[in-house]
Amino acid sequence: MTQVPPPFDPELAAALDTIKDMISPSFTPEEIEAVRTGPGIQMLAELDLTDGGFFEVEDRVVPGPEGAPDISLLICRPAAEPVAGPRPVVYHVHGGGMVLGTNRVGVDVPLAWARELDAVVVSVEYRLAPEHPHPAPVEDVYAGLVWTAEHAEEITGDAERIVVAGASAGGGLCAALALLTRDRKGPQLVGQLLMCPMLDDRNDTPSSYQMAGLGIWDRTSNDTGWTALLGEARGGPDVPAYAAPARAEDLTGLPPAFLDVGSAETFRDEVVAYASRLWQAGGVAELHVWPGGFHGFDGFAPQAALSQAARAAHVQWLRRLLAS
């Protein structure tokens, strides 16, 4: 039976139409290197992360996992002295399908939160697949979190108010990080903000079939990312939860979660299922399914009304979380 996709929001459909010649929904392994070295990634190095001097910006090299290379953390903190004691910390994990990106990808989003909430942003650079398959990415992310918690005071942050946040693959890694931190009794997280997270390597939900060939990241792209991370194990019975959080059998004891996703994207059903399982495990979760949203819509079309609503919801949730 043909899967009929839900419609895109009209404003977002217009945005998709303008970028369709630059971004294909179906991303293949052969394209990884070209995208990594393309103009999009290069432009990120030229961003003014100080936001006109509001933030002090530092690249810090810190120890990686045992026996692995050091990792790079991008640290952005308000230049002014803290008014009300140590600041909350947003520990940011970038997206890119497990195969693309640097710690500058998507960091403009948590920087906007930090300006509004007087927070510190730490964005971690992790090793990318396929050159560095699981568990390299999540172990790098965990090592960066441990350093951040141990050195929070040094960067005007509060070790007891760390929120992990990421979009797409970064959201999936944040969900995995919450599981890993719980199980290792690592740094105590106050929340996890998972934006259109990449959670399930099986790629077999109705939404993954509905959106084939449409939007920004379809099931072909998803196969590319998960196969790079997991190799032949992808989709099989032995994939660990720290690689694909949807595989976790125990979702108890996790920090409060915010999850959002578009109704017209590949990840819709796995995100909804993950939120439901968090509730079923007695957890706290807030779920938003944005009608007509494609993958990462608020980044590609930030002026659209739906994008503005999504970004406002992120800030409102963070404000409530950090006030509690």
Side-chain angles (χ1 to χ4, degrees), residues 16-306:
L16 264 181
D17 195 53
T18 64
I19 61 176
K20 65 183 179 183
D21 294 330
M22 295 180 286
I23 300 177
S24 166
S26 301
F27 176 64
T28 64
E30 293 72 28
E31 297 174 272
I32 292 174
E33 191 55 36
V35 177
R36 283 180 180 174
T37 57
I41 299 294
Q42 299 301 320
M43 283 172 57
L44 295 169
E46 301 169 11
L47 291 176
D48 175 23
L49 299 178
T50 72
D51 197 8
F54 186 87
F55 293 103
E56 293 179 349
V57 177
E58 175 187 5
D59 285 288
R60 181 81 68 95
V61 176
V62 307
E66 186 174 354
D70 292 344
I71 56 176
S72 175
L73 298 179
L74 172 68
I75 302 169
C76 304
R77 55 185 175 184
E81 288 297 314
V83 176
R87 296 177 166 113
V89 179
V90 177
Y91 184 75
H92 174 252
V93 185
H94 71 79
M98 305 291 183
V99 298
L100 305 170
T102 70
N103 56 19
R104 282 162 165 73
V105 168
V107 77
D108 58 304
V109 173
L111 286 179
W113 306 336
R115 180 155 191 154
E116 193 158 341
L117 301 172
D118 191 32
V120 178
V121 174
V122 178
S123 188
V124 59
E125 188 138 335
Y126 54 88
R127 288 170 289 171
L128 300 174
E131 296 88 348
H132 304 285
H134 177 77
V138 73
E139 289 290 356
D140 285 356
V141 168
Y142 182 79
L145 176 66
V146 170
W147 185 93
T148 299
E150 291 176 347
H151 296 79
E153 184 177 354
E154 179 185 335
I155 59 173
T156 72
D158 185 348
E160 296 183 359
R161 288 196 297 162
I162 299 176
V163 182
V164 295
S168 195
L173 282 166
C174 284
L177 182 60
L179 292 164
L180 193 58
T181 301
R182 177 199 66 184
D183 295 345
R184 290 183 179 173
K185 297 180 171 52
Q188 190 75 31
L189 303 175
V190 296
Q192 49 179 328
L193 203 166
L194 314 178
M195 299 171 285
C196 54
M198 181 178 176
L199 300 168
D200 196 338
D201 65 293
R202 290 164 291 198
N203 202 20
D204 60 359
T205 63
S207 59
S208 77
Y209 287 100
Q210 277 184 309
M211 303 310 299
L214 299 172
I216 295 295
W217 184 266
D218 74 353
R219 58 181 293 101
T220 297
S221 302
N222 218 22
D223 277 347
T224 297
W226 283 116
T227 300
L229 185 72
L230 298 170
E232 294 181 357
R234 182 189 67 79
D238 299 320
V239 173
Y242 304 141
R247 300 295 199 114
E249 295 182 3
D250 178 12
L251 295 182
T252 62
L254 294 172
F258 177 105
L259 306 93
D260 71 352
V261 70
S263 69
E265 70 160 294
T266 301
F267 295 154
R268 182 195 67 219
D269 293 342
E270 64 195 66
V271 173
V272 171
Y274 198 73
S276 295
R277 292 186 58 222
L278 287 169
W279 295 320
Q280 290 159 12
V284 176
E286 179 173 324
L287 170 67
H288 293 256
V289 181
W290 301 106
F294 60 80
H295 185 63
F297 65 89
D298 62 310
F300 288 100
Q303 298 310 313
L306 202 70

